Amino acid sequence: MKKIISFMFLVLGLSQINAQTATQTIRGKVVDDASKATIPGAMVVVLKDSTNKGSVTDLEGDFKLLNVPVGRQTLKISYLGYETQTIPNIIVTAGKEVILNISLIEKVTNIDEVEVVYDRSKDKTVTNNDMTTVSARSFNIEDTKKYAGALGDPSRMAANFAGVVAGNDSRNDIVIRGNSPNGMLWQLEGLNVYNPNHFGSFNSTGGPVSMLNNNTLDKSDFLTSAFPAQYGNATAGVFDLRLRDGNNQKHEFLTQMGFNGVELGAEGPFSKNSKASYLVNYRYSTLGLFQAMGINFGTGNATPNYQDVNFKITVPTKKNNGKFTLFGIGGNSTIDLLGKQVDTASVDFYGDPKQNAYPRFKMGTIGASYQQNISQKTFLKFTLGATAQQQDYTTDSIAYNSDKLFPSSVAKFLNSKYSAVLSVTHKFNSRNTVVFGGNSDLIMFDYYNKIIYGGATDLVYVDVKNNTVLSQAFTQFKHRFNNKLSANVGVHFQHLSLNNTMALEPRAGIKWALNSRSSLNAGYGIHNQIQTVYNYFIQSKVGDEITYTNKNMGFTQSQHYVLGYDNNITENTRVKLETYYQYLSNIPVNQQPTSFSALNDGTSFIPSQATNLVNKGTGTNYGIELTLERFFNKGFYYLITGSLFDSKYKGSDGIERNTGFNTKYAANVLMGKEFQLGKKGNVLALNIKVTSVGGKYLTPLDLEKSKLAGIAVFDESRAFTEKQPDYFRADAKIAYRKEFKKSTLEFAIDFQNITNHKNVFLQGYNARNNSISTQYQQGFFPVPMFKFTF
């Protein structure tokens, strides 16, 4: 730890080198927000700069500003008939050009000039998808970097938002408004993809480390309720992620080292005469190094290993603002959990001393898309892609008083999906826009899961190789009555060929600007989701006959009702209040009266093996959320979020219970301050975060039955009645950015859980002394990060 801090002060000392003021280029493209048609002739000006630099977009909507001083800059973009836009807090560094994609909104009527004092490419109040009206916000690379504890991970960053609760310290699964993490939808460049996380089990949507590299992400959307008709097969939330284009005029490179790994990145044009570009980042795990430094990150003596790559190739066409893109992410991860390495002297030891486990995970996505304006009013995008996910998990039992091993389980899960996606946007005029399209996913799967007892007594849960098709279609219409009132209505349809299940889902939203600062928003939607494909094929065996009693399960359905109020108290301060009610129905539960409900899937990483399931369960989530946010201004920002909610379900026994995600409340306080060091653009930043979350409800252990069985046996008659202690954690981050003439050096230390508070992770059964063992979450954990761009 002392060596880390000493190195940081050494880096700070570099600020005395290089007396020349650095500059950089800002360039980009300006398009119509709805039709995506380029806007030639738009004026782009750097504000608060003595040189008054300015540029006018060319016939392709492109602009370029040279020799802009490093530091935070503000742009103003204007064009006749469109709302003027002011973009504050653009971070200009010497090591990388700033490339912006800017969308302007056409005025409904020719009223007096209206200036929008927020940024449609960076402001969190405005999403890429202009059909959203409630429960949505955007984020960008800066958010994943600046928030203490985020570690460059979009999921960990989103856990700071109102209504969102992190699953635990060791993973980035997120709970949205009391829903299971399994209700999340991941989209990448419009493709529905599998869990993009290392060690992300196939029945979850999170993992310990994200495969998504924040250095490759563009502005993206995060939605938590009543989302537009474009999104289907999800009941909780949506991550709509976009990768940025590489620099098509200049080669740029980066090297980085931190919690997520050692990283190398490159981007640039294919040739001087081409506007085609590439972007690629490769990363390899560094957790072995942290472990050697004595830092415990929650896996005992076992060392996780992983690597991943993100890439995007962009080839623009000569006409109609068209471009081809080839994009992808991929990674693999392994860990060996050996029983002999378990420290049984520790009360909260990790792993099983009687077992060796060998988890292996792989995930990959590749896609190709083409987009263009087929007219000034119509924009089309077509994407083909494939995504796959593989998980192998084998275990060996260790013989008592010897090192002899006996195979005890084999699990092999392979999912593959081949997708075609079409989206068309047509702008009739400044008032009316329609978006329609669809996607079809050919889902192929190969599952095998067996507990080995020896010979014919082996228990096979699943043994299937098959495929199915999930087809979806949507249309969404937006009408702007005037500059203050707008509404959108839509419908989404989906069909699963496996059991011929289908659903038609209406969606609607309205936004009314009460004045120049405040607005009322309302949203409604029905959302359906297929069950985890694995669950359809869990075997029931009577004699030699195998049946699939779950195969005819229908979709889980969720109805969302949301009402929100937004008020920009000042130019830089915003308060947002939302209240919601969610009714869930058609939840898989047992035919016989029990406490089981599929709504609690995701409370552990192990897939449910329940059979004889029927869609007769229900659930409710309701609550109120508050966000108070000061956007970065004069070197300071803060974000304060709070949620009060209740999450309940009913199993087939008809008893209303807490869900496994009912923490009742969540609160976050984040703030940060930047200090300018001299006049050369060097910056020292301090960030803090404090989180408090209500304790989760657990199903208590039955010690007597556990003792007789030799393994954990839970009292299901008292499911989710035992409340854990509340969760508390404080993080701090110190960051420094040094500007050289043509490069940028960044260094940061993220101090996680600075109070070393012991938060309960889970409880298990210790067969050695017939007691309940408690495993705690991550303690104090310093994470250094070094980045150099040139």
Side-chain angles (χ1 to χ4, degrees), residues 284-506:
Y284 188 83
S285 63
T286 52
L287 293 183
L289 176 61
F290 283 115
Q291 196 172 51
M293 296 167 62
I295 297 174
N296 180 14
F297 40 79
T299 57
N301 294 314
T303 304
N305 294 297
Y306 54 85
Q307 58 185 325
D308 55 61
V309 64
N310 291 209
F311 72 90
K312 187 176 183 181
I313 296 172
T314 305
V315 183
T317 61
K318 294 183 178 180
K319 296 181 179 180
N320 300 324
N321 193 28
K323 67 177 180 181
F324 291 95
T325 60
L326 179 69
F327 60 90
I329 65 171
N332 62 52
S333 42
T334 66
I335 186 172
D336 292 342
L337 301 170
L338 304 180
K340 65 181 181 180
Q341 294 181 348
V342 174
D343 181 10
T344 56
S346 173
V347 176
D348 55 341
F349 63 81
Y350 184 87
D352 185 346
K354 300 181 296 182
Q355 176 180 274
N356 292 340
Y358 311 95
R360 302 289 185 267
F361 301 84
K362 294 180 181 178
M363 183 271 175
T365 294
I366 187 168
S369 69
Y370 176 70
Q371 65 181 54
Q372 77 163 63
N373 287 95
I374 57 180
S375 73
Q376 281 295 107
K377 298 286 188 180
T378 307
F379 176 78
L380 176 147
K381 182 177 182 180
F382 179 68
T383 305
L384 293 174
T387 180
Q389 177 189 50
Q390 182 176 347
Q391 174 186 343
D392 294 343
Y393 188 90
T394 58
T395 61
D396 294 329
S397 294
I398 304 173
Y400 186 70
N401 288 333
S402 78
D403 293 330
K404 190 173 183 180
L405 302 178
F406 300 91
S408 55
S409 72
V410 177
K412 296 181 179 294
F413 309 121
L414 175 63
N415 290 305
S416 302
K417 181 162 56 178
Y418 302 90
S419 306
V421 184
L422 174 67
S423 177
V424 179
T425 303
H426 180 73
K427 178 182 175 181
F428 296 98
N429 49 48
S430 61
R431 294 179 181 271
N432 301 297
T433 302
V434 66
V435 183
F436 61 91
N439 60 282
S440 183
D441 299 327
L442 171 61
I443 303 170
M444 306 179 72
F445 47 93
D446 187 353
Y447 302 147
Y448 183 69
N449 190 3
K450 180 174 72 170
I451 303 297
I452 301 173
Y453 296 115
T457 61
D458 292 349
L459 175 60
V460 178
Y461 290 117
V462 171
D463 184 6
V464 64
K465 185 176 183 179
N466 209 327
N467 65 80
T468 186
V469 176
L470 177 65
S471 302
Q472 302 177 67
F474 73 91
T475 183
Q476 188 101 9
F477 176 76
K478 181 175 183 178
H479 177 69
R480 299 173 67 200
F481 297 92
N482 50 49
N483 286 317
K484 293 185 176 181
L485 181 64
S486 64
N488 63 74
V489 294
V491 64
H492 179 273
F493 171 81
Q494 69 183 38
H495 174 265
L496 181 67
S497 66
L498 178 69
N499 53 19
N500 199 32
T501 308
M502 62 186 70
L504 192 66
E505 308 165 346

Side-chain angles (χ1 to χ4, degrees), residues 122 124 137-148 150 157 160-161 629:
K122 292 184 180 295
K124 295 82 174 173
R137 67 178 290 157
S138 289
F139 64 91
N140 53 58
I141 181 175
E142 293 171 27
D143 296 326
T144 62
K145 287 171 55 177
K146 73 181 180 185
Y147 291 154
M157 173 215 62
N160 299 307
F161 300 155
E629 184 167 15

